[in-house]
Amino acid sequence: MTDEASTPETEVLSLLPSRLRTARRDKGLSLDAVAKLSGVSRSMVSQIERGESSPTIATLWNLTRALQVDFAGLLEGVDEPAGIEVLRNANVPLIANAGQGCSIRILSPPEEVGRHEVYDIRFQDSGILDSAPHKRGAREHLTVISGNVRIKAGDKVEMLGPGDTARYPVDQPHTISAEAGPAQVFLVVQDA
Amino acid sequence: MTDEASTPETEVLSLLPSRLRTARRDKGLSLDAVAKLSGVSRSMVSQIERGESSPTIATLWNLTRALQVDFAGLLEGVDEPAGIEVLRNANVPLIANAGQGCSIRILSPPEEVGRHEVYDIRFQDSGILDSAPHKRGAREHLTVISGNVRIKAGDKVEMLGPGDTARYPVDQPHTISAEAGPAQVFLVVQDA
DNA sequence: GAGGAAAATCCAAAATACCGGATTTCTGTT
DNA sequence: AACAGAAATCCGGTATTTTGGATTTTCCTC
């Protein structure tokens, strides 16, 4: 798959992989199960769900049959929820065991994975979060709420204090760490 | 493209080619023009429109942008018109200069081209309509309204009188002609 | 009908989707 | 921790899509 620039127009396409994966998981099906149901191989289903290959409409059609999702609807843009969506503090999903001395709160809905992910990250003193490279074109937008933070992206390093914001490409290894005392940051990951 | 049997489920897919071609022609665009607009090669557009290849969704997406058609809508089944559709006699599109001594009235809507075309054909005495082979699997269903008609499909020949009906494959050259005096026939072309 | 320009199709090379088995990752159990 | 079983990813080879240019067809104009 040629890695197309993600202009606003192509956003529907880049949304498709996560939608398929979500649909499958919601039904509690394994890749293997879907493969048998649809006649599409495990590997293909996996690649498609990871956005590593652009299926032919014939293949996609077979998948929609197996997953019992609406073909037309799959390609439609997200319909913004009508009213105000509220995610209460107490209900925020939490990743406790990422990195060392840090906990990650997931603020964006599963549908948005891969497009626009929002996290609230809390570091203990000297807490550190190491991340593997995401796919080319992905960027992170980070704002410090409190504390002092050190950002390392590739071979570049920056120090940030409260209120500071950094944006950087993450198609390379990158690290966020609290420097003197605990810290809290807001992180937006684009096009991961 | 693996030639999938056209079970009811796959019919949406087989509808896509003609829809694309119709959309392009309605805009008065050439293959070349669409190619330049969409970034998809002439050849590909041609193959897709003829149903000879199953495009990837990326390719199809680019085409829909160029043709300004709704991606989602393209794959949806035809929604049967709500009430009763009436096509008045006076408004029936006419092909006057096909064959010799015959005129063709087109009774089916443009959307249906390639699936299910209906014609009312009038022959003068000794009128004749010669047709090139359609694609494999295509069949014609012909009923004689009045007069006497001679059908030739490949190397088979049949004579039909008023009320007679013939069905025959048309993936081969075929000819319809009026034998003694004028004639009128009803013709349904399937999967052309 | 002959000639010429535009449009559609054909063709061989390149890129990419697709498959099935091997490998790795994940998850829960002793 | 180590293991077992399941699930997902990786990796070859094959089939299909995709492309750019050559060829054929269509359709005007003279």
Side-chain angles (χ1 to χ4, degrees):
Chain A
M1 172 181 177
T2 7
D3 211 42
E4 193 70 21
S6 17
T7 70
E9 282 82 20
T10 53
E11 91 186 15
V12 186
L13 281 191
S14 58
L15 224 37
L16 186 126
S18 46
R19 286 191 182 180
L20 285 174
R21 174 151 288 189
T22 302
R24 178 171 62 84
R25 294 235 156 108
D26 283 356
K27 284 199 160 350
L29 295 171
S30 68
L31 285 178
D32 205 38
V34 174
K36 284 186 175 61
L37 278 174
S38 64
V40 179
S41 71
R42 292 161 281 268
S43 335
M44 238 316 94
V45 181
S46 178
Q47 285 188 48
I48 293 171
E49 286 187 351
R50 282 176 291 143
E52 292 192 356
S53 122
S54 173
T56 63
I57 55 169
T59 302
L60 185 55
W61 174 261
N62 290 332
L63 279 180
T64 60
R65 298 276 309 159
L67 293 171
Q68 305 181 51
V69 298
D70 179 37
F71 196 151
L74 253 190
L75 290 321
E76 264 163 359
V78 258
D79 28 84
E80 317 292 342
I84 301 175
E85 259 190 315
V86 179
L87 177 60
R88 298 291 172 197
N89 186 48
N91 304 328
V92 173
L94 190 70
I95 307 176
N97 50 351
Q100 293 122 36
C102 83
S103 67
I104 304 179
R105 295 155 44 84
I106 308 171
L107 303 180
S108 48
E111 310 87 88
E112 283 296 309
V113 166
R115 286 298 300 167
H116 187 79
E117 306 168 22
V118 184
Y119 302 101
D120 170 9
I121 310 182
R122 316 265 173 106
F123 293 92
Q124 300 168 16
D125 187 10
S126 305
I128 182 169
L129 178 60
D130 242 307
S131 306
H134 301 150
K135 84 170 185 214
R136 170 133 191 98
R139 292 180 68 82
E140 287 187 359
H141 173 124
L142 180 149
T143 300
V144 178
I145 308 296
S146 65
N148 291 287
V149 170
R150 180 171 172 277
I151 307 293
K152 184 162 180 291
D155 53 1
K156 300 293 196 334
V157 176
E158 283 292 338
M159 298 298 304
L160 301 180
D164 292 349
T165 292
R167 288 175 54 84
Y168 47 93
V170 288
D171 52 351
Q172 50 188 324
H174 50 290
T175 307
I176 309 171
S177 53
E179 279 298 297
Q184 180 181 2
V185 305
F186 235 83
L187 181 68
V188 180
V189 186
Q190 303 173 351
D191 300 320
Chain B
M1 171 182 177
T2 7
D3 209 48
E4 192 69 22
S6 20
T7 69
E9 284 82 19
T10 52
E11 87 187 18
V12 187
L13 283 191
S14 57
L15 222 37
L16 186 125
S18 46
R19 286 191 181 179
L20 286 174
R21 173 150 289 188
T22 301
R24 178 172 63 83
R25 294 235 157 108
D26 282 356
K27 285 200 158 353
L29 295 171
S30 69
L31 284 178
D32 204 38
V34 174
K36 284 185 175 62
L37 277 174
S38 64
V40 178
S41 70
R42 295 162 277 282
S43 335
M44 236 315 91
V45 181
S46 178
Q47 285 188 51
I48 293 172
E49 287 187 351
R50 281 177 290 143
E52 293 192 354
S53 115
S54 171
T56 62
I57 56 169
T59 302
L60 186 55
W61 173 261
N62 291 332
L63 278 180
T64 60
R65 298 282 308 162
L67 293 171
Q68 305 181 51
V69 298
D70 180 37
F71 195 148
L74 253 189
L75 290 322
E76 265 164 358
V78 260
D79 27 77
E80 319 289 344
I84 301 176
E85 258 190 315
V86 179
L87 176 60
R88 298 293 172 196
N89 185 48
N91 304 328
V92 174
L94 189 70
I95 306 176
N97 49 352
Q100 293 121 37
C102 81
S103 67
I104 305 179
R105 296 155 42 85
I106 309 171
L107 304 179
S108 49
E111 310 86 87
E112 285 294 310
V113 166
R115 288 296 299 169
H116 187 77
E117 306 167 25
V118 184
Y119 302 101
D120 170 9
I121 310 181
R122 319 268 173 103
F123 293 91
Q124 299 168 17
D125 187 9
S126 306
I128 182 169
L129 177 61
D130 241 307
S131 305
H134 299 150
K135 84 171 187 215
R136 169 138 191 95
R139 292 181 69 82
E140 286 186 358
H141 174 123
L142 181 149
T143 301
V144 178
I145 308 296
S146 64
N148 291 287
V149 170
R150 179 173 173 276
I151 307 291
K152 182 161 181 291
D155 54 359
K156 301 292 195 340
V157 176
E158 283 292 339
M159 298 299 304
L160 301 180
D164 292 349
T165 293
R167 289 176 53 86
Y168 47 93
V170 287
D171 53 350
Q172 50 187 323
H174 50 290
T175 305
I176 310 170
S177 52
E179 279 298 297
Q184 180 182 1
V185 305
F186 234 84
L187 181 68
V188 180
V189 187
Q190 303 173 352
D191 301 319

